[in-house]
Amino acid sequence: MKYCPLLDENPYGAYKIIGEKMLAAYPSIEREGKHKWSQYAKALSQSIRTERFRRKRKSLPVTPQEQQLPPKRFTVGKHIVTDASNALPEEEFEKHVLEIQKVWNTSACSSSHVDMLLRESYCNRRQWLPYLPNGKLAPILEKFPCFQESSYVLREVERMLLCEVSTWKDRLEKIVEALSDQVPSSACNNDNDQHTVDIIRFIEKSVAFKKGKGIKSKSCFTVADFNISDADKNDLCTSSELSPPHIVMFLDGSKYVDGYIVGDNCKIACKNLKSAGEIFITLLACYYCFDFSYPRIYSQLLGFLQQCVMHDQYHLEKSSDYKHFIAQCQSFIG
């Protein structure tokens, strides 16, 4: 359009000139048609119409309906309303962020002091997170390095939902107990972490996308032996940029010992958790407090846990197996 301003006045002549010149320079564009360059000219014409429409649309005034947050790679599972009147002035918010970073890098880091700073800057953080590009995890952990530990993630989601983690843990244990008869666990008894992992894997398979078009479900957690080499552990905990958060956990026999939430070339340590069930709650908490939605490959298990553990109705896309399985679980969902 820049070099051929006569496209509108004499489109056939202009496209003929362009087509002939392009065919001379790139003979491989030749196709069957009225002219050897006809299909190329047709494709070019369509592209120019699309570009004209895009520019015209862009120049129109923005309507209130379009004044929304920029599109993200993820969106939160539950909409959290934050009272903007409780937010700190921008200068104070930046001071809190710098203080968190300063304290976190000292050997005498005080958990209570970090918690206080996170609590006071909570509203600002809720307003800042939706504007992050593509829902990336790395800039969040860079600005708030304390979220590299699971305990701070869990306390953040407690602030958001006004509910204690112990409540979600009790609900998950109730689900595991209710489904125990349906799962031939590889564990010696039903009161250990391996059994919980077996139940979660059973749920994951029961609700997964298996048929139809589109991307199928994948497991959102990896389980490994704690006694493998450090090099193998590092390989398991390595992720690519923009990869969605998922679990890597290590069991010593049937007991949970260590684990990480891994994604976007970052990891969140979950070493101090008391059970395997808690790391699944931590994964769910990450998607909530970091304003992420579920990637399709993990969405069915996370949606099930959202509905049954967080008691937050899951309204997004559901597989037919999900709908069938959730109907069977109504008796113990509560």
Side-chain angles (χ1 to χ4, degrees), residues 230-290:
D230 290 341
D232 289 338
K233 288 181 181 178
N234 288 333
D235 287 342
L236 287 173
C237 294
T238 300
S239 60
S240 59
E241 186 178 356
L242 278 178
S243 59
H246 56 280
I247 293 170
V248 177
M249 74 170 80
F250 300 97
L251 301 183
D252 188 0
S254 60
K255 181 176 177 56
Y256 174 84
V257 179
D258 197 3
Y260 296 90
I261 306 298
V262 178
D264 193 28
N265 201 24
C266 303
K267 59 183 180 181
I268 298 170
C270 303
K271 186 172 184 177
N272 295 324
L273 300 181
K274 297 178 180 178
S275 66
E278 290 185 20
I279 197 170
F280 289 100
I281 293 173
T282 303
L283 177 65
L284 207 58
C286 287
Y287 279 91
Y288 269 82
C289 72
F290 297 150

Side-chain angles (χ1 to χ4, degrees), residues 41 52 64 82 110 116 156 200 202 205 213 223 297 333-334:
R52 280 204 191 99
T82 303
S110 169
M116 182 270 291
E156 180 83 346
I200 298 295
F202 168 74
K205 291 180 179 178
K213 299 180 179 179
V223 182
I297 53 174
I333 290 176

Side-chain angles (χ1 to χ4, degrees), residues 209-218 296-297:
F209 287 117
K210 305 183 188 74
K211 302 176 182 178
K213 299 180 179 179
I215 301 172
K216 305 301 184 290
S217 295
K218 295 182 180 179
R296 195 174 194 272
I297 53 174

Side-chain angles (χ1 to χ4, degrees), residues 112-151:
S112 59
H113 183 49
V114 174
D115 272 333
M116 182 270 291
L117 293 169
L118 287 174
R119 187 170 58 254
E120 291 183 354
S121 60
Y122 170 77
C123 291
N124 299 76
R125 196 160 48 255
R126 301 318 314 161
Q127 295 171 359
W128 170 72
L129 282 166
Y131 288 93
L132 286 182
N134 301 322
K136 292 188 66 175
L137 179 59
I140 300 173
L141 300 187
E142 181 180 352
K143 190 161 187 170
F144 297 96
C146 52
F147 288 134
Q148 295 174 36
E149 287 191 7
S150 60
S151 58

Side-chain angles (χ1 to χ4, degrees), residues 83-96:
D83 186 357
S85 63
N86 293 327
L88 297 170
E90 189 62 28
E91 184 178 344
E92 285 298 312
F93 174 54
E94 291 302 324
K95 287 182 179 179
H96 276 61

